[in-house]
Amino acid sequence: MFCGNASLIGQYSDFIPCGSGSNQFLDVAAKVTSVRLDKTLVNNLIKALLEVGKSIPGRILFPALSALDCGGIPQDDLVTSLFAGSPIKTIAISGGDWGKTAPESRMLISKLFATQSQVQFLAADELTTPGLGSPEFWLLPGLRSLAYKGHLTFGDWANLIQNCPDLDSIAFEGSALGSNLPSPAPLHAPSLRRLDLTAFESPDIVLFILESTNAPQLTALDLFLDLEPEHTAVEHPSTSRLRAAFRVLSERGCCLESLALGTSINLGGETLAAFRRLKSLDIRDWTSSCQLDDGDIDLLCHSLTELRRFYLEYNLFRSASTVYANITPRSFGSFARHCTELTYLGLPVTAANPDDFIDTSFTELVPFRNNLRDLALTPLTLFVDKTNDFVSFLLVQCPNLGRLDIHLNAAHSWPSVSTLTRIERDMTIDYFQRRLQ
């Protein structure tokens, strides 16, 4: 039950705070900084704890308590009486498996909102119940960090931003509740630095948030938007909205340093190049029908000179036929010339001319070969007989390379199991030979 400086349940599961044990309990409770309510709490222990609280009315039993994890089995009376007056800054609460205890948890969190308005960090999971919307998080005016799994309405977002000016981190997982789409009135989020919408399944509300929220301090944005019809080149109606939303973000002076984007929309290199302070750019699920080429990569590198991490991955499952990447080893040179701090590179690469693939890679990689710590080629389109040579070349020429991830998309034919085994064996041998030199 108790974590941090002291523990009463777990290591001391036989301890019951009654009689002479009350003083011991109070001594320990005064030092506790973190409490986790566990489903193993037995009724006689809960009763004994409540009796301690009643025996000394008005006394704060946990004066040092800063973090409370209510778990998925809410103990309403225990929480509201035992921790009354405690200076709790962090609360975690869940509706239990599949939301089984959501009604009870909602009642408990409503009481906590009323009695613990100083809470700054909140993690809430599966608290949506039939007939009720999202919890009224905006009743915590000092809230700085919110992680919420459940339903969300457009009004919920507006209330949250308008009433919690200190929010600097928001992560939502779930879907929108309701279908009314208001026009995006400007919302000012002066402290917001991190926004994570990667697990939010409602594109309309994601677009609404991007369009309506002015967050000049935003440094990290993670989102996922799957809008394109499968196996077609038809542009989704929301494509222009997303491009416009990103343009507005950059025009508002948004100082993004990290952008993780999962989308089937072709935003174009120009849209991403507008965020010139990016240190990390992670693009996944990019539609293979609108691939980037060496020119696009050069534009991005020329604009994003502070990049330390770049990752691009296509969604090849959307294509009904085999798709080869348009990016060649010449793009390595764009990173070498413009992104001198780059240490992580993930790129789908093809060998337009397999015979000079290794020579070209060597020429382009040399200027920053000492920088590379992680290299992911997903996929690498290369003839099977060249793959072993290329891997050996990388291990020798990139002395600080600690991780190499290659998804082989073999040209003309797939390698046999024996070939792949040989490549892996030779990689290991070359690696250790280089390390022992």
Side-chain angles (χ1 to χ4, degrees):
M1 172 181 171
F2 298 96
C3 308
N5 294 344
S7 175
L8 295 182
I9 303 300
Q11 293 181 4
Y12 306 105
S13 57
D14 295 331
F15 173 65
I16 304 294
C18 56
S20 61
S22 297
N23 290 331
Q24 181 186 352
F25 168 79
L26 294 174
D27 290 341
V28 174
K31 303 173 184 177
V32 170
T33 59
S34 178
V35 169
R36 179 176 59 86
L37 298 181
D38 195 276
K39 60 184 178 181
T40 59
L41 283 173
V42 292
N43 290 332
N44 62 333
L45 179 54
I46 294 173
K47 182 179 178 181
L49 291 171
L50 291 174
E51 287 299 324
V52 172
K54 292 178 182 178
S55 66
I56 43 176
R59 177 170 175 175
I60 299 176
L61 303 182
F62 293 85
L65 185 64
S66 62
L68 173 62
D69 184 349
C70 299
I73 302 182
Q75 302 288 346
D76 195 323
D77 293 339
L78 185 62
V79 171
T80 54
S81 62
L82 208 59
F83 308 124
S86 298
I88 301 173
K89 300 295 184 183
T90 301
I91 290 179
I93 188 167
S94 169
D97 296 335
W98 306 101
K100 290 179 180 178
T101 59
E104 295 84 356
S105 293
R106 283 295 295 274
M107 291 178 61
L108 174 56
I109 203 169
S110 295
K111 292 183 179 179
L112 289 172
F113 286 172
T115 59
Q116 301 285 346
S117 59
Q118 78 284 350
V119 168
Q120 297 179 355
F121 306 92
L122 178 63
D125 186 3
E126 299 288 0
L127 299 186
T128 304
T129 61
L132 291 175
S134 303
E136 297 176 332
F137 301 117
W138 48 90
L139 295 179
L140 301 174
L143 194 62
R144 292 177 51 193
S145 175
L146 173 62
Y148 173 56
K149 180 180 179 181
H151 297 314
L152 189 75
T153 68
F154 299 98
D156 293 335
W157 174 260
N159 281 327
L160 184 65
I161 297 303
Q162 290 170 343
N163 293 285
C164 301
D166 295 329
L167 264 175
D168 63 24
S169 177
I170 300 176
F172 286 142
E173 179 179 349
S175 59
L177 191 63
S179 57
N180 295 326
L181 308 180
S183 58
L187 297 170
H188 189 53
S191 304
L192 189 61
R193 294 180 179 275
R194 182 177 181 274
L195 178 59
D196 185 349
L197 302 173
T198 50
F200 202 74
E201 301 171 356
S202 302
D204 284 331
I205 197 170
V206 171
L207 289 170
F208 170 81
I209 288 172
L210 293 178
E211 292 167 338
S212 65
T213 308
N214 180 13
Q217 301 300 318
L218 191 67
T219 58
L221 175 62
D222 299 0
L223 59 89
F224 179 80
L225 280 168
D226 187 9
L227 297 173
E228 186 187 49
E230 292 189 7
H231 308 312
T232 76
V234 177
E235 187 174 87
H236 194 279
S238 293
T239 298
S240 59
R241 283 185 65 192
L242 182 59
R243 289 175 182 164
F246 271 91
R247 282 197 299 272
V248 170
L249 276 177
S250 62
E251 291 168 0
R252 284 173 176 164
C254 179
C255 50
L256 274 185
E257 295 182 359
S258 175
L259 175 60
L261 176 64
T263 183
S264 52
I265 288 180
N266 176 25
L267 284 174
E270 299 86 352
T271 302
L272 299 174
F275 299 98
R276 294 181 175 270
R277 295 182 61 179
L278 279 178
K279 292 180 173 58
S280 176
L281 178 57
D282 196 316
I283 308 171
R284 299 175 187 270
D285 206 46
W286 192 283
T287 173
S288 57
S289 62
C290 300
Q291 290 192 32
L292 300 182
D293 57 22
D294 290 342
D296 296 314
I297 295 297
D298 191 64
L299 170 65
L300 286 173
C301 293
H302 189 270
S303 302
L304 309 178
T305 57
E306 297 183 29
L307 275 180
R308 297 176 182 176
R309 172 189 167 92
F310 180 86
Y311 185 87
L312 171 64
E313 181 181 277
Y314 295 129
N315 188 338
L316 300 179
F317 294 103
R318 293 184 182 276
S319 177
S321 58
T322 302
V323 176
Y324 299 121
N326 291 336
I327 299 171
T328 75
R330 297 196 181 279
S331 285
F332 295 151
S334 296
F335 288 104
R337 287 188 295 274
H338 304 297
C339 305
T340 57
E341 300 297 319
L342 192 78
T343 60
Y344 182 104
L345 178 60
L347 211 60
V349 179
T350 189
N353 186 347
D355 292 333
D356 67 1
F357 180 83
I358 295 178
D359 290 339
T360 303
S361 298
F362 174 74
T363 302
E364 303 293 353
L365 276 173
V366 162
F368 79 138
R369 67 188 187 91
N370 291 321
N371 288 36
L372 276 182
R373 302 290 191 276
D374 295 84
L375 179 62
L377 303 176
T378 56
L380 167 65
T381 304
L382 186 63
F383 287 95
V384 174
D385 59 353
K386 296 290 184 181
T387 303
N388 185 38
D389 294 337
F390 179 59
V391 170
S392 300
F393 151 77
L394 286 174
L395 294 175
V396 171
Q397 297 299 327
C398 301
N400 295 314
L401 190 64
R403 181 173 181 271
L404 176 61
D405 182 9
I406 291 181
H407 294 180
L408 189 62
N409 184 14
H412 299 312
S413 64
W414 289 102
S416 65
V417 173
S418 60
T419 300
L420 289 175
T421 302
R422 176 177 56 80
I423 291 172
E424 182 180 4
R425 183 186 67 247
D426 291 345
M427 274 181 59
T428 304
I429 292 173
D430 287 341
Y431 178 79
F432 283 105
Q433 283 178 344
R434 174 174 59 79
R435 288 298 184 186
L436 292 173
Q437 287 176 352

